Amino acid sequence: MDFSAALPIFAITLREGVEAALVVGIVMAYLKKVDRSSLNPWVFGGIGTGILASFIVGLLLNWFVKQVENTEPMQAALYGQLWQGVLGITAIAMLSWMLVWMTENAKALKGEIEGQIGKAIANEKSAGWAVFMLILIAVLREGFEVVIFISAKLQGGIVPVIGAIAGLVGAVAIGIALFQFGIRINLRVFFQAMGIFLLLIVAGLVVSAIGHLDKAVAAYGELTQTAICLPAASATEMSSCLLGGLVWDVHDIFPDTKFPAILLKAMFGFRDRLFLGQAIGYFTFLISAGVLYFHSLTGKSIIKQQG
């Protein structure tokens, strides 16, 4: 069994899970401080419901892909590639936005959450549901990002599930270590390291999404008998529809279907054959998102632990 596909999912789930665990930990610590620990069952209910809802969304996305695959071959080629391209763009946007947002707002997050939960529990009758919804939204936000990422990489079967479970267990362990046992973990270093790692993973997803959209355009041209694609440079050279010629071809010496290249492909979107449009997209995203991310780091500090 090839576990390389589980690694990026583990990394994404771990980071997103830690963010959710911090929210949960801050809420539970605040409830304990104000002697409202009786509301903890609502916290656990929000966690369970959020995880279940994310799982259901994953099943629905998988079902939709199966329905597309069962259509007429030419339509399946078009809609399948288009769907994967759109999912890829969605995952890129969500993960990039959350990466920058979390870095910029982490310092004030604890105070904001405590302010929200303080207002929520002021009303005795609706306190439980208010806590439930706050936790549910936090878990759903991170859960949807993981589900969209998995779907965008077209990863079915048990391997991505293993990666997601391992990341979730790691996030829970970090949350317990922080808030239950008072273990000091340098969250600033953790999020900075994971942020750089996430940037590279998402940049690889850019390469994949561009490739899917290019194939979707080619499939549309074939389906409608429309001359959309650019003419190939030569009859022997591998060509794309709109991405230009190859700028990278190491298929014969470093194929991305074998170790260790398959590991780089799973983690960072490595391709043994890379077209010009994909290379431009990769470096454009990496530079622009990297500038935004590192700018958000300056003068900002990650959440104060346990405050």
Side-chain angles (χ1 to χ4, degrees):
M1 184 180 293
D2 179 20
F3 285 97
S4 59
L7 294 177
I9 296 171
F10 166 77
I12 294 291
T13 307
L14 178 63
R15 191 189 189 282
E16 304 304 317
V18 168
E19 290 184 15
L22 288 174
V23 175
V24 172
I26 290 170
V27 170
M28 294 186 71
Y30 182 80
L31 291 176
K32 182 178 180 180
K33 183 171 65 175
V34 297
D35 197 24
R36 297 296 299 275
S37 294
S38 59
L39 294 173
N40 282 350
W42 292 94
V43 174
F44 298 130
I47 295 171
T49 305
I51 293 175
L52 179 62
S54 300
F55 180 72
I56 291 174
V57 170
L59 290 179
L60 290 175
L61 288 175
N62 186 64
W63 173 84
F64 180 80
V65 170
K66 295 296 182 184
Q67 297 304 306
V68 171
E69 292 175 348
N70 292 332
T71 60
E72 192 272 329
M74 290 296 293
Q75 291 183 342
L78 168 60
Y79 295 122
Q81 294 295 338
L82 182 61
W83 175 245
Q84 289 302 312
V86 171
L87 277 178
I89 293 174
T90 304
I92 292 164
M94 290 176 66
L95 291 170
S96 301
W97 181 80
M98 279 305 300
L99 174 63
V100 176
W101 180 89
M102 180 64 181
T103 306
E104 289 183 340
N105 295 276
K107 185 177 181 180
L109 186 61
K110 183 174 184 292
E112 291 178 2
I113 293 174
E114 289 186 344
Q116 291 175 9
I117 199 67
K119 293 179 181 178
I121 64 176
N123 188 331
E124 187 67 32
K125 293 183 179 180
S126 62
W129 282 110
V131 171
F132 174 85
M133 290 305 300
L134 192 152
I135 297 298
L136 174 62
I137 292 172
V139 174
L140 278 179
R141 183 180 62 197
E142 313 303 341
F144 283 173
E145 290 177 9
V146 174
V147 167
I148 293 296
F149 177 78
I150 294 174
S151 300
K153 293 183 74 67
L154 237 185
Q155 294 171 327
I158 192 64
V159 171
V161 175
I162 293 174
I165 292 175
L168 186 61
V169 170
V172 171
I174 291 176
I176 292 174
L178 282 171
F179 295 98
Q180 188 67 30
F181 298 107
I183 297 176
R184 310 297 292 182
I185 297 175
N186 193 328
L187 291 175
R188 182 174 183 272
V189 173
F190 171 82
F191 276 113
Q192 286 183 358
M194 291 298 293
I196 295 172
F197 201 50
L198 183 61
L199 274 177
L200 295 174
I201 291 176
V202 177
L205 192 57
V206 170
V207 173
S208 177
I210 291 175
H212 285 303
L213 292 176
D214 182 72
K215 291 177 182 177
V217 173
Y220 177 79
E222 292 184 19
L223 186 63
T224 60
Q225 298 298 307
T226 305
I228 299 176
C229 298
L230 299 173
S234 67
T236 57
E237 182 181 349
M238 178 175 288
S239 61
S240 65
C241 180
L242 298 175
L243 300 180
L246 285 170
V247 295
W248 172 274
D249 187 353
V250 293
H251 176 74
D252 294 333
I253 59 175
F254 203 58
D256 59 20
T257 56
K258 298 180 180 179
F259 184 85
I262 191 172
L263 183 61
L264 295 176
K265 181 179 181 180
M267 290 298 296
F268 308 119
F270 169 82
R271 296 292 188 275
D272 55 16
R273 291 188 174 107
L274 189 69
F275 294 100
L276 176 62
Q278 290 174 307
I280 293 174
Y282 177 87
F283 286 107
T284 299
F285 170 82
L286 198 59
I287 293 172
S288 57
V291 168
L292 287 174
Y293 174 65
F294 285 108
H295 177 72
S296 69
L297 289 176
T298 58
K300 303 290 182 180
S301 61
I302 301 300
I303 301 168
K304 294 181 180 180
Q305 302 169 31
Q306 304 183 72

